[in-house]
Amino acid sequence: MEHYYQPEIETMPVEQLKALQSERLVKQIKHVYDNVEFYRNRMDEAGIKPEDIHGIEDLHKLPFITKDDLRDQYPYGLLAKPLSDCVRIQSTSGTTGRRVVSFYTQHDLDLWEDCCARAICAAGGTKDDVCHISYGYGLFTGGPGLNGGSHKVGCLTLPMSSGNTDRQLQFMTDLGSTIICCTPSYAAYLAESIHERGLSDQIKLKAGIFGAEAWTEEMRHDIEQSLGIKAYDIYGLTEISGPGVSFECSEQKGMHINEDHFIAEIINPQTGEVLPEGEKGELVFTCLTKEAFPLIRYRTRDICILTRKPCSCGRTHIRMTKPLGRSDDMMVVKGVNVFPSQIETVLLNMGYPANYEIIVDRVKNNDTIEVNAEMTAEMMEDTSVSVAQREKSIVTGLKSMLGIKVDVHVVPPKTIPRSEGKAVRIIDKRNLYQG
Ligand code: DLL
């Protein structure tokens, strides 16, 4: 039986949901126009007044907002409530330029935690579960968001944060963690550590809630097999609140977007044109209920597809595919568009673990691309296949996936640095995107 946190909202008939969105949008636009100079100026420049917005059918009239706008307005330029009404900030881990800071009122935190609670229930979580949270705590939204959601569901919450794998495994075995929340790369690392220490029999995990970075279906399969769990995807971004903007249900066929709080659109990233359902493009969000930091038509740079096809879980909220790339992490190498996930797919299909790095460089105006792929311990031991043969077959696999020649090195297990948060898999030495 499917388990919901807020069944009346999660299964609300679509027409009713759209009416709710329209009503909330009208209020939200008035709120930002009255309280944020930035929005007022942008709307005035576009010749739009709050009275022109009657419902979701008018959304397309409003201007977009981008990450550059957020950086320009740092820190308080987009605040829609007095600072004295805000109780929390969270921030992105951005390494270049100014950070993106998002503000929350107590009400904002409450609704964000509801979204995370929906995700935990969709993964089968109940008050009888022990929810082990290994996303980073602190400015990163992963830990705090899932922590709040776990409390709301009533799980026994283990606020582990990331790092210290020995301690993670000790709590996991001593307290019988049943749900694990972390990045998929850390989940793969935990699985590896559990096997090495011979702890598999002592692990009680049944589900994992993994997100914050791109991961493939092949990686899902590997994690599910090695941990003996069902692995659920969760999506979100700091600017829009954090994890829980959308989440997978038992169907594992796309993530339901919490449409009572966020309107999703897909646009052509080149032209800004809104694309019909089913087409691939850049995901854009409008926050309907956020008070302190309500972004309107925010361009996420995540490329995906939306579908409103009915889902057998009973939820009516629209589904998004896993991000299929980012309009800005796509690398153009030797003139060819390369998504890191394509390389990962090739490696995992050939039995390699998801521990790899991609090094892109430009030598004498020619692009070079190199992939270092870690072998499993079994591959290391298997002397019937030489290193040269292994490299050659990966080169062939990548050539047919990408259409370009990639230099490949297979390396012994554990030589690629592990990550406790998001894995750093691309080293682009060309620095094409400065400033
Ligand atoms: O990563 C929030 C989060 C925490 C989501 C924990 C899920 C779990 P940011 O650091 O602001 O926020 O990064 C947001 O990460 O625009 C996507 O490109 C990527 N991303 C997030 N979730 C997924 C996912 C958090 N499930 C950016 N699959 C987003 C693929 C994801 N990419």
Side-chain angles (χ1 to χ4, degrees):
M1 246 274 287
E2 192 71 28
H3 179 45
Y4 313 103
Y5 180 65
Q6 290 166 311
E8 61 302 335
I9 298 169
E10 293 178 67
T11 63
M12 184 180 273
V14 173
E15 286 316 309
Q16 206 180 326
L17 191 57
K18 288 190 174 171
L20 179 69
Q21 287 187 322
S22 284
E23 183 196 316
R24 289 182 169 175
L25 180 68
V26 170
K27 272 196 208 139
Q28 185 68 293
I29 298 305
K30 187 166 176 356
H31 172 57
V32 297
Y33 190 87
D34 290 348
N35 294 295
V36 186
E37 195 188 339
F38 171 88
Y39 282 115
R40 196 158 50 242
N41 291 342
R42 279 284 171 95
M43 285 174 61
D44 287 349
E45 278 162 26
I48 313 278
K49 294 276 173 235
E51 306 79 73
D52 299 328
I53 305 299
H54 304 284
I56 50 175
E57 67 283 2
D58 295 323
L59 183 63
H60 68 98
K61 297 179 181 163
L62 294 161
F64 293 116
I65 176 167
T66 64
K67 200 162 196 145
D68 285 341
D69 294 324
L70 264 54
R71 293 209 174 101
D72 293 344
Q73 298 305 316
Y74 173 89
Y76 301 129
L78 289 166
L79 207 54
K81 278 281 188 182
L83 203 52
S84 56
D85 288 351
C86 298
V87 297
R88 174 91 67 80
I89 69 156
Q90 302 286 164
S91 177
T92 57
S93 49
T95 46
T96 51
R98 277 178 289 185
R99 282 173 171 277
V100 171
V101 177
S102 165
F103 296 81
Y104 306 75
T105 61
Q106 185 55 52
H107 185 64
D108 291 334
L109 288 179
D110 199 33
L111 299 188
W112 174 28
E113 291 172 3
D114 283 346
C115 290
C116 291
R118 290 181 193 173
I120 293 171
C121 288
T126 69
K127 68 184 201 34
D128 298 323
D129 279 297
V130 179
C131 186
H132 186 118
I133 300 169
S134 311
Y135 284 114
Y137 280 65
L139 284 170
F140 179 57
T141 54
L146 269 309
N147 194 88
S150 172
H151 277 218
K152 285 211 170 197
V153 175
C155 304
L156 173 64
T157 308
L158 304 192
M160 297 302 301
S161 197
S162 52
N164 199 337
T165 302
D166 281 324
R167 191 180 58 186
Q168 302 269 357
L169 296 181
Q170 186 176 356
F171 273 95
M172 192 178 279
T173 48
D174 290 352
L175 293 170
S177 307
T178 52
I179 298 178
I180 169 87
C181 306
C182 61
T183 57
S185 45
Y186 194 51
Y189 180 56
L190 282 174
E192 189 178 277
S193 308
I194 288 167
H195 287 284
E196 266 171 22
R197 291 168 177 72
L199 293 173
S200 300
D201 291 349
Q202 296 173 53
I203 299 295
K204 303 218 166 51
L205 291 176
K206 63 175 189 188
I209 303 178
F210 306 129
E213 62 179 356
W215 55 309
T216 55
E217 284 303 326
E218 292 82 1
M219 190 164 177
R220 184 207 306 265
H221 180 76
D222 279 6
I223 295 173
E224 289 191 332
Q225 293 293 308
S226 57
L227 285 176
I229 61 172
K230 194 156 172 173
Y232 296 83
D233 202 352
I234 183 166
Y235 168 90
L237 56 167
T238 314
E239 300 91 308
I240 301 298
S241 64
V245 171
S246 66
F247 60 87
E248 263 182 352
C249 62
S250 55
E251 279 297 302
Q252 296 175 305
K253 290 207 182 97
M255 295 178 274
H256 291 279
I257 296 172
N258 283 307
E259 282 193 284
D260 51 328
H261 298 305
F262 313 107
I263 303 178
E265 297 171 277
I266 292 288
I267 63 162
N268 174 328
Q270 270 81 44
T271 62
E273 175 206 357
V274 179
L275 299 176
E277 184 199 321
E279 285 199 25
K280 184 160 126 182
E282 183 179 339
L283 184 59
V284 172
F285 282 116
T286 296
C287 302
L288 293 172
T289 48
K290 279 176 70 183
E291 297 179 334
F293 200 73
L295 297 187
I296 307 297
R297 299 198 88 201
Y298 179 64
R299 293 185 58 162
T300 63
R301 297 283 168 197
D302 289 317
I303 302 291
C304 73
I305 300 169
L306 298 178
T307 176
R308 219 179 254 293
K309 285 204 190 96
C311 182
S312 64
C313 78
R315 288 179 185 78
T316 48
H317 295 209
I318 203 163
R319 278 174 291 160
M320 58 181 269
T321 56
K322 276 176 178 300
L324 306 166
R326 283 185 56 88
S327 54
D328 58 0
D329 101 341
M330 185 183 77
M331 302 175 290
V332 182
V333 183
K334 303 181 189 186
V336 168
N337 296 348
V338 176
F339 287 97
S341 59
Q342 295 173 297
I343 296 179
E344 184 175 300
T345 297
V346 170
L347 292 173
L348 292 184
N349 278 342
M350 296 176 80
Y352 289 81
N355 298 317
Y356 62 90
E357 55 192 8
I358 305 166
I359 301 153
V360 182
D361 206 348
R362 185 162 285 182
V363 182
K364 292 189 191 145
N365 289 324
N366 275 321
D367 285 339
T368 59
I369 175 163
E370 225 178 290
V371 170
N372 293 330
E374 231 181 46
M375 287 184 279
T376 60
E378 290 78 351
M379 290 175 176
M380 263 312 261
E381 275 162 29
D382 178 4
T383 48
S384 68
V385 190
S386 72
V387 162
Q389 281 168 322
R390 288 195 181 284
E391 293 179 344
K392 193 164 167 239
S393 60
I394 301 176
V395 170
T396 310
L398 289 175
K399 177 87 207 271
S400 82
M401 173 68 98
L402 305 170
I404 52 171
K405 164 106 185 352
V406 177
D407 290 325
V408 173
H409 308 279
V410 292
V411 297
K414 302 205 179 308
T415 40
I416 302 215
R418 294 298 192 271
S419 159
E420 285 162 358
K422 301 187 192 216
V424 181
R425 296 198 170 110
I426 308 158
I427 303 162
D428 194 337
K429 296 183 176 167
R430 300 173 302 175
N431 288 329
L432 298 176
Y433 302 106
Q434 282 170 336

